[in-house]
Amino acid sequence: MLIFTLHAMILTAQTVYSDYHDGRIYLKYKDNIAPSFSVSSDNKVDINTVPLVSALSSEFRLKELSRPFYLNNDSKLIRTLMLEFDDYDKVDQIIEQLKQSPDIEYVERVPMDRIYYVPNDSLYTLYNGPQNWNWHLERIQADLAWDISKGSSDIKVAIVDNAVWVDHPDLAGKIVAQRDTYYNTDNPNPPASGDPLEWSHGTHCAGLAAGASDNGIGIASVGFNVSIIAVKSAANTNSNSIYGYTGIQWAASNGADVINMSWGGTGYSQTNQNVINSIANMGIVLVAAAGNDNVTTPHYPSAYANVISVASTDFDDLKSDFSNYATSVDVSSPGGKATGGPNGLLSTTFNDATLGNYDLMSGTSMASPIVAGLSGLILSINPLLTPAQVEAILESTADDIYPLNPDYTGMLGAGRVNAYQAALNTPYEPVADFATPLTIIMPGGVGIDFSDLSMGVPSDWEWTFEGGTPSTSNEQNPTGIVYASDGTYDVSLTVTNEFGTSTEVLENYITVTSSPAPYVMIASSDSMPCISSPVVLSDMSLYGPTSWEWNITPTSYQLLNGSTLNSQNPEIQFMVPGSYAVSLSAWNANGNSALSLPDFINVSGALPSYTSDMEDGTPGFITLWDTIKSQSAVDKRSAYESMYSIHFHGDPVPTGWKGSPTTGTPAQAWIENRQFQSEAYICGVDPTGAQNLALELDLRQTYSLGPRYSWFRVLVNGTQVPDDQGVMDFNPLTTGEDPWRRLTFDLSAYSGSIFDITLQACNRFSYHVQGEGDNVFVDNISIINTTSVSEGVSQKPDLVVFPNPSAGDLTLQVNNLKGNVEIKVISLLGNIVYKSDISYVAGSLTRKLDLSSLPSGIYMLSVISDTQQLNQRIVIR
């Protein structure tokens, strides 16, 4: 029986296994094996020197072998190789063959690390020592949780505390209700007198739970978009004494969904327990700090029933040395310090500190609002959850930290909260949805797999397959459903959880026919090529198509090696950067079918004049690359006369750096310090029409302890090139505030062919670790034609256009034409700006064109006949 699986049918980017790189596998030798292969300076390994790999060459299309990891000469890493190959769909066969070697411990696919959501708050990625200032959010995987939900402003987290500064820039837009329950006013702000830091406690908690996120300033919060109710419950004469129960009562009466209580004591009160019970019965989640005395003594309100008690942990998941611990603790949360980094959590404050109105605090007081904000995030996904259900989600998804804390077993709750797992496992009323990779099949013996795509964490599934065998299933993802007779059949799925039931019925979803038309599928050898790189479009259609018709838009491409748009697998060379749509119609004796894929091919490259200023906050077609000890990003850290630039910097822990701050050498920077390097890569620079070419960019560098800790250079096709002053290796001149300078690199020597450019940095420290840090900033990158090109003839094998460049009056000559001819001129945006049709032509064609009305720029001229398409880039001045 033929089983069609989802990953085998969807043949687009990452065509075989969606979570793994196509055409890459790792293979590791056993620890007792001493492999004899040699590794070049760029980590490549000659395939022919590794017999177990080279033996595959006759059966599979192998590309490259390398040893990608060498950190600390770890004995396991230096025995690990990565094999790259072109036969993506044969990855399982390659793995199985390599596993047969007795020297190999394992072979595995290379995971696809995707890039996930990161807010743009200015302090979010600020380093201090080896950890970020947002280490508490990283530890609980908040960024992954935000990919599921960024919270709802309809959910309100009340911060009942000594005061909350409601005008803080990271809080002002989030506060939906406010009260001073001590003085019965609507002003919860700190008093004008007293120590601003002591009066910052409530403001700090508010920022941790629900401070404004992705607003370009300050910090991010786990609650992201949830709203804040600000309640002041302290007398103006004493910032440390909280009258909290009146405060929580007011919050409960004014719309709170979650209440945070970062305060308490050892005194028990049945009345206070009754207040708690009453609020809990209203369906409100209550969260409290476990206390900071490093004892097991009951601490209230955290030890009351119906309250989620929160202990504090450090970055390493060890119990914070100050945190209480007890069997009454329900969960733990970051509230302490990051070893070697921030001694506390960074959040909003009333006092003005080094970073403005942001400062560090630590304690279970900080751990508690993180759990409160996470509870708000959970309720944003499903506001119908009860407090007990919210607590159960927090506990069931927490990470087990007892192996790290054996002395506190059973006294740190269910573990340290995990925001991502909590969001992922929050149930809500389900929405049924499903798919199958194939909807047209032949009768008899063909099995189809169905995939449940329902939302809401269903617990039960009921499938009905009209005309199928079996006809029903209770599995989440039933496989091998067989259809025996011709016809069209419905499929239905009903999903259920404790919040409801949902049914999806797709009528006539499965077509069973003994004479199917082609079932069209498309694959590409490279979905993100550089301009002029050969790309093979592959017809992967089922049911034996015998003829094909491809359509590619825009038409800025050239067919290669005799391919036509009627070839089964045409080879194509794209000549202009951008996104290309691809469609295929295929015929067999039973009929035809078609498939269209928008933005299927995304082509990188650069055409003079090319400029990138990153003002959309992205690198565009520039590819950024870094390592575990380097960083590269487009950010607001520093930009020249603009908002964004490319920012390279080093590592918070720069162990392994070779060279001194003043006498380090280029060889050390570019050869020995590879792990500290980062790059911006521009592939496929096509200088057609430009004989005198230059790269220009704005550069700014800084250094911490010395100028030889910050390096920058430019490479073309891997070869280092000097600027117009003869400088090849750039170091900063002054610490901290090196001025911007405009650099020019003459690239005329490369104007005769397509080439690649690499902007490479090598930096020791990350920024703000040691002074300003070691930084390289690059902005306003341009590739320009520095002088006009003399009028002449630009030739392709069958197409001549002259003069080129021109003012718009030009002549084209084409040889070996046959059939009707269409002439098009297409802008770089893919718009047809000129079109002319010519009736039957046999032999050569000469045609004058007047394009003087077009704006100056680069265009693609296409001559299309019945049998071929010829393209030529033209420049209008």
Side-chain angles (χ1 to χ4, degrees):
M1 180 173 64
L2 180 61
I3 304 297
F4 290 95
T5 60
L6 182 63
H7 64 250
M9 291 295 105
I10 302 175
L11 295 168
T12 57
Q14 299 317 303
T15 58
V16 183
Y17 293 99
S18 61
D19 292 330
Y20 297 87
H21 281 281
D22 276 342
R24 287 185 177 182
I25 57 173
Y26 290 139
L27 57 144
K28 182 192 173 288
Y29 285 89
K30 294 178 180 177
D31 291 343
N32 61 345
I33 298 297
S36 60
F37 58 80
S38 60
V39 183
S40 63
S41 59
D42 60 356
N43 298 324
K44 300 292 191 307
V45 175
D46 187 348
I47 289 178
N48 295 320
T49 65
V50 183
L52 65 94
V53 176
S54 62
L56 303 176
S57 299
S58 61
E59 185 176 356
F60 305 103
R61 293 178 296 163
L62 308 184
K63 288 173 59 178
E64 187 175 280
L65 187 65
S66 63
R67 187 185 68 186
F69 306 115
Y70 52 87
L71 188 65
N72 299 322
N73 283 321
D74 181 275
S75 62
K76 295 183 181 297
L77 294 181
I78 63 175
R79 287 175 167 81
T80 303
L81 300 178
M82 182 170 71
L83 175 64
E84 298 183 53
F85 49 90
D86 287 325
D87 299 306
Y88 301 159
D89 57 336
K90 298 179 180 177
V91 57
D92 293 328
Q93 296 172 243
I94 295 174
I95 289 175
E96 286 305 315
Q97 292 199 32
L98 288 171
K99 282 182 177 179
Q100 304 307 311
S101 171
D103 294 340
I104 295 299
E105 179 181 343
Y106 64 79
V107 187
E108 61 182 8
R109 297 184 295 271
V110 178
M112 166 66 75
D113 296 325
R114 296 177 170 86
I115 223 167
Y116 299 96
Y117 185 80
V118 175
N120 64 13
D121 306 271
S122 58
L123 301 179
Y124 182 81
T125 56
L126 185 62
Y127 274 104
N128 180 280
Q131 307 301 339
N132 275 341
W133 293 81
N134 70 317
W135 66 268
H136 57 290
L137 296 174
E138 291 185 345
R139 201 63 186 150
I140 65 173
Q141 295 187 297
D143 55 340
L144 301 184
W146 297 330
D147 284 328
I148 298 172
S149 173
K150 296 182 177 66
S152 168
S153 60
D154 293 334
I155 300 301
K156 307 173 186 67
V157 176
I159 305 299
V160 179
D161 216 287
N162 64 354
V164 177
W165 181 29
V166 298
D167 294 322
H168 191 290
D170 251 348
L171 300 178
K174 302 296 295 296
I175 295 173
V176 295
Q178 56 191 63
R179 187 69 175 172
D180 183 334
T181 58
Y182 188 89
Y183 294 104
N184 290 321
T185 71
D186 291 330
N187 179 16
N189 287 294
S193 60
D195 184 347
L197 180 59
E198 291 183 2
W199 280 106
S200 291
H201 189 271
T203 305
H204 198 272
C205 291
L208 290 173
S213 303
D214 208 26
N215 62 340
I217 62 170
I219 51 88
S221 69
V222 61
F224 215 96
N225 287 328
V226 302
S227 298
I228 299 171
I229 295 177
V231 181
K232 177 177 178 287
S233 295
N236 290 340
T237 55
N238 190 343
S239 64
N240 294 318
S241 182
I242 304 294
Y243 298 84
Y245 293 92
T246 56
I248 64 174
Q249 178 178 259
W250 187 90
S253 300
N254 286 273
D257 298 290
V258 182
I259 298 176
N260 181 73
M261 302 173 289
S262 289
W263 38 268
T266 57
Y268 173 84
S269 165
Q270 182 63 53
T271 300
N272 289 344
Q273 176 68 79
N274 292 342
V275 173
I276 294 292
N277 292 344
S278 178
I279 294 174
N281 289 336
M282 296 171 65
I284 297 171
V285 178
L286 292 135
V287 184
N292 295 341
D293 300 312
N294 192 30
V295 295
T296 60
T297 305
H299 179 274
Y300 302 100
S302 63
Y304 286 131
N306 298 315
V307 175
I308 300 174
S309 175
V310 185
S312 173
T313 53
D314 295 334
F315 176 84
D316 53 12
D317 278 338
L318 296 178
K319 183 189 84 70
S320 300
D321 54 13
F322 53 77
S323 179
N324 286 2
Y325 52 100
T327 55
S328 59
V329 170
D330 296 301
V331 291
S332 298
S333 177
K337 63 181 181 296
T339 304
N343 189 16
L345 279 62
L346 184 68
S347 185
T348 49
T349 56
F350 181 58
N351 66 299
D352 188 358
T354 303
L355 298 173
N357 293 110
Y358 302 89
D359 211 339
L360 293 168
M361 291 187 183
S362 59
T364 57
S365 285
M366 284 60 253
S368 180
I370 292 175
V371 175
L374 176 54
S375 298
L377 197 69
I378 291 170
L379 288 171
S380 297
I381 299 173
N382 185 354
L384 300 179
L385 293 169
T386 66
Q389 288 170 325
V390 171
E391 181 176 348
I393 292 169
L394 291 169
E395 294 175 354
S396 64
T397 59
D399 290 344
D400 181 11
I401 58 173
Y402 284 120
L404 299 171
N405 296 275
D407 294 339
Y408 303 99
T409 298
M411 292 183 285
L412 296 176
R416 192 251 308 127
V417 293
N418 185 311
Y420 170 57
Q421 290 299 327
L424 187 66
N425 290 279
T426 297
Y428 54 92
E429 185 173 351
V431 179
D433 189 20
F434 63 88
T436 185
L438 193 62
T439 60
I440 301 175
I441 63 171
M442 298 180 69
V446 177
I448 304 179
D449 298 344
F450 288 84
S451 298
D452 168 47
L453 304 177
S454 304
M455 306 291 287
V457 194
S459 56
D460 296 288
W461 297 264
E462 295 181 14
W463 295 83
T464 300
F465 305 107
E466 181 187 18
T469 302
S471 60
T472 63
S473 175
N474 297 117
E475 296 180 6
Q476 180 177 4
N477 300 299
T479 60
I481 308 302
V482 176
Y483 291 83
S485 302
D486 284 14
T488 56
Y489 301 100
D490 300 347
V491 176
S492 70
L493 169 64
T494 298
V495 292
T496 304
N497 66 16
E498 59 186 310
F499 296 98
T501 297
S502 174
T503 299
E504 172 78 352
V505 178
L506 295 183
E507 297 180 350
N508 301 324
Y509 184 59
I510 300 297
T511 299
V512 182
T513 174
S514 302
S515 53
Y519 193 93
V520 177
M521 292 179 292
I522 302 171
S524 170
S525 63
D526 189 351
S527 63
M528 294 185 291
C530 291
I531 56 175
S532 300
S533 297
V535 176
V536 176
L537 297 177
S538 298
D539 164 49
M540 308 298 292
S541 303
L542 302 178
Y543 311 133
T546 55
S547 60
W548 304 266
E549 183 177 300
W550 295 85
N551 184 54
I552 305 163
T553 56
T555 57
S556 307
Y557 61 87
Q558 186 79 42
L559 292 159
L560 303 177
N561 297 323
S563 295
T564 73
L565 294 176
N566 299 117
S567 299
Q568 181 177 10
N569 303 305
E571 186 175 0
I572 296 174
Q573 182 181 63
F574 295 93
M575 304 175 73
V576 174
S579 296
Y580 290 77
V582 175
S583 65
L584 171 62
S585 296
W587 286 260
N588 65 13
N590 302 315
N592 73 290
S593 302
L595 175 66
S596 295
L597 299 176
D599 301 329
F600 182 63
I601 305 292
N602 293 281
V603 181
S604 298
L607 306 176
S609 293
Y610 166 89
T611 298
S612 178
D613 57 12
M614 285 71 70
E615 283 308 277
D616 62 354
T618 75
F621 286 112
I622 298 175
T623 300
L624 300 183
W625 174 90
D626 53 36
T627 71
I628 195 171
K629 297 187 78 67
S630 65
Q631 301 288 328
S632 65
V634 173
D635 62 24
K636 294 182 178 180
R637 179 67 185 87
S638 181
Y640 183 61
E641 297 179 349
S642 59
M643 287 288 290
Y644 294 94
S645 70
I646 297 176
H647 179 195
F648 304 110
H649 62 88
D651 190 55
V653 184
T655 55
W657 178 273
K658 300 296 190 292
S660 79
T662 55
T663 62
T665 65
Q668 289 172 323
W670 306 123
I671 298 175
E672 298 182 63
N673 292 329
R674 177 65 174 166
Q675 58 185 326
F676 290 88
Q677 291 173 22
S678 46
E679 297 174 356
Y681 178 69
I682 306 173
C683 79
V685 180
D686 188 345
T688 301
Q691 291 182 349
N692 297 280
L693 200 66
L695 166 70
E696 293 186 346
L697 55 87
D698 293 319
L699 174 70
R700 176 176 179 262
Q701 291 178 270
T702 69
Y703 68 81
S704 55
L705 302 177
R708 300 303 179 92
Y709 281 168
S710 178
W711 295 82
F712 175 76
R713 68 174 179 172
V714 173
L715 302 100
V716 176
N717 290 343
T719 300
Q720 195 168 351
V721 296
D723 74 345
D724 57 0
Q725 304 299 312
V727 180
M728 297 182 71
D729 297 290
F730 296 85
N731 298 119
L733 304 175
T734 59
T735 184
E737 296 296 333
D738 221 21
W740 285 95
R741 45 182 165 162
R742 189 72 173 168
L743 302 181
T744 301
F745 299 81
D746 184 3
L747 305 182
S748 299
Y750 298 90
S751 62
S753 61
I754 296 173
F755 57 89
D756 302 329
I757 296 175
T758 303
L759 312 180
Q760 193 173 67
C762 187
N763 305 97
R764 184 172 186 253
F765 269 123
S766 67
Y767 68 101
H768 280 304
V769 171
Q770 183 71 38
E772 175 65 12
D774 301 318
N775 301 273
V776 170
F777 304 100
V778 178
D779 205 354
N780 301 317
I781 301 167
S782 298
I783 302 170
I784 61 173
N785 184 2
T786 56
T787 61
S788 299
V789 181
S790 60
E791 294 185 353
V793 176
S794 177
Q795 288 192 328
K796 294 272 183 189
D798 294 302
L799 173 62
V800 175
V801 180
F802 62 91
N804 186 22
S806 74
D809 294 318
L810 53 85
T811 300
L812 66 86
Q813 293 179 344
V814 196
N815 298 320
N816 304 319
L817 284 175
K818 184 177 181 180
N820 297 313
V821 173
E822 181 181 56
I823 300 173
K824 291 181 181 179
V825 177
I826 304 161
S827 72
L828 293 184
L829 296 177
N831 299 318
I832 298 174
V833 296
Y834 175 89
K835 182 178 178 181
S836 176
D837 295 315
I838 305 172
S839 58
Y840 192 87
V841 175
S844 62
L845 171 69
T846 300
R847 186 87 168 188
K848 290 186 177 182
L849 303 182
D850 182 3
L851 305 177
S852 58
S853 63
L854 297 180
S856 299
I858 300 173
Y859 298 85
M860 184 63 65
L861 186 151
S862 295
V863 178
I864 307 166
S865 71
D866 292 344
T867 59
Q868 61 184 321
Q869 175 176 321
L870 301 173
N871 293 322
Q872 173 67 58
R873 188 173 295 110
I874 59 174
V875 180
I876 297 179
R877 297 183 299 197

